[in-house]
DNA sequence: TAGAGAGTTCGAGCGCACTCCAAGCAAGCG
DNA sequence: CGCTTGCTTGGAGTGCGCTCGAACTCTCTA
């Protein structure tokens, strides 16, 4: 199955500190950024290419406060960093799992406000995790229904093929 | 078309004479019908209550062809049957798992057209099942990211609580 | 120096899945 | 009889998450 494009997700927190080694889960798979730190200045179309988000959407994300401030050239063009890419990959995951944009904006705000918001961030993510778990359960139960019905159709097909 | 729908009945022990006995999966847990077959004439608000769908939505489903023809009283009020309830519970499951309304309308059309459409129905459901499976994978992978981040926040919290 | 191409902003528009509204009809009750 | 409650319709409105267009600037190559 889709092991979605790998992505080092570490933006809400300092991507700086070395990543704590977790036993139960080694964390998101750290896949290389297209450009090494130091030369990580991506144009909007490069980011669009990399993330699959349209340039329009990227600008819109910034407008609504969903991006943590993107650097600009002296003429005002955006230059995204590896850190921005990390953030976008988190955002994309959260979106795909149905977190409303408003909640993500809230989370982005909290990140901007610094360490004092750790507790609320934890809460927000925990709530979303519960959501996700519940949706997985829902999907599984639908899978049962689908299996059941598909079996019936398949049986009918096989029966008709036999004669 | 007055042709009775040929939709594999998936719920209602009481409703059907005999249901196909499946070995691998006994089918979805049949949510019992509030009223026994024969007296199953529900008003729109009863159905709304039972399904959690608003009366507005129920009428809208009918308008767009997502309901297989609902009986009416002599004055034109809708009276839903147990069969309608079963259909709605399938529709609800499909909706919750992200099947577009247009696809469900297509499926409803096929059901109306009778047994000759079994193959296409099977295809449609199989495609959706693939979709659902993929989304489960996606959700699982996000769960990993969430666990990872929540752990970090929790560690920070515990650390700060210690001092 | 001209022209292509990629970037910018702001605001309008779109598709989906509802959600609501206005106006009207029918049944039951005091 | 009037009142309330619950239903009917067609059509307009809403909220979300983009998506697009117009008009303009900047950069690069020939």
């Amino acid at each position: 199955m889709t092991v979605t494009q790998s992505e080092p997700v570490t933006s809400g927190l300092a991507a700086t500190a070395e990543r704590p080694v977790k036993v139960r889960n080694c964390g998101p798979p750290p896949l290389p950024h297209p450009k090494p730190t130091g030369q990580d200045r991506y144009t909007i179309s490069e980011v669009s290419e990399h993330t699959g988000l349209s340039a329009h959407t990227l600008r819109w994300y910034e407008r609504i406060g969903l991006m943590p401030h993107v650097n600009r050239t002296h003429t005002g063009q955006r230059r995204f960093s590896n850190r921005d890419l990390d953030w976008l990959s988190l955002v994309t995951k959260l979106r795909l799992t149905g977190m409303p944009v408003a909640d993500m904006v809230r989370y982005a705000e909290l990140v901007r406000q610094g360490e004092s918001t750790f507790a609320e961030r934890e809460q927000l993510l925990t709530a979303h995790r519960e959501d996700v778990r519940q949706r997985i359960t829902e999907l599984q139960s639908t899978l049962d229904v689908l299996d059941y019905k598909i079996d019936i159709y398949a049986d009918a097909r096989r029966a008709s093929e036999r004669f």
Side-chain angles (χ1 to χ4, degrees), chain A:
Chain A
M1 310 233 169
T2 343
V3 178
T4 336
Q5 47 172 342
S6 32
E7 45 209 357
V9 177
T10 357
S11 45
L13 284 172
T16 52
E18 36 257 77
R19 116 183 312 137
V21 179
K22 287 275 148 193
V23 177
R24 77 204 269 273
N25 174 358
C26 294
L31 234 95
H33 294 131
K35 303 182 182 180
T37 316
Q39 281 117 290
D40 51 337
R41 292 173 60 75
Y42 307 89
T43 64
I44 199 164
S45 58
E46 283 170 332
V47 175
S48 171
E49 171 78 14
H50 182 74
T51 61
L53 298 164
S54 76
H56 283 302
T57 299
L58 291 169
R59 292 191 200 101
W60 181 67
Y61 277 2
E62 191 176 338
R63 249 193 296 179
I64 63 173
L66 193 42
M67 285 297 302
H69 175 75
V70 178
N71 289 327
R72 303 283 183 132
T73 65
H74 68 107
T75 59
Q77 295 198 355
R78 289 170 184 81
R79 288 299 177 266
F80 294 80
S81 65
N82 283 336
R83 186 180 283 262
D84 295 329
L85 254 39
D86 291 344
W87 173 255
L88 283 170
S89 101
L90 172 63
V91 162
T92 299
K93 271 212 169 312
L94 295 179
R95 272 303 301 130
L96 278 177
T97 53
M99 181 183 280
V101 166
D103 289 6
M104 296 196 300
V105 169
R106 175 73 188 139
Y107 185 76
E109 251 167 36
L110 294 173
V111 170
R112 272 196 294 282
Q113 281 166 33
E115 304 207 350
S116 64
T117 64
F118 272 15
E120 193 175 345
R121 287 191 236 170
E122 187 186 343
Q123 266 175 34
L124 206 155
L125 293 188
T126 305
H128 184 58
R129 181 171 62 180
E130 246 348 277
D131 256 43
V132 172
R133 284 186 180 147
Q134 189 165 337
R135 274 236 302 309
I136 289 176
T137 309
E138 245 165 45
L139 291 177
Q140 292 285 11
S141 104
T142 301
L143 229 36
D144 290 345
V145 176
L146 289 173
D147 286 344
Y148 178 75
K149 281 186 166 291
I150 289 169
D151 272 3
I152 293 174
Y153 287 130
D155 287 352
R157 178 166 43 73
R158 278 190 296 271
S160 76
E161 276 163 5
R162 254 201 307 284
F163 302 108

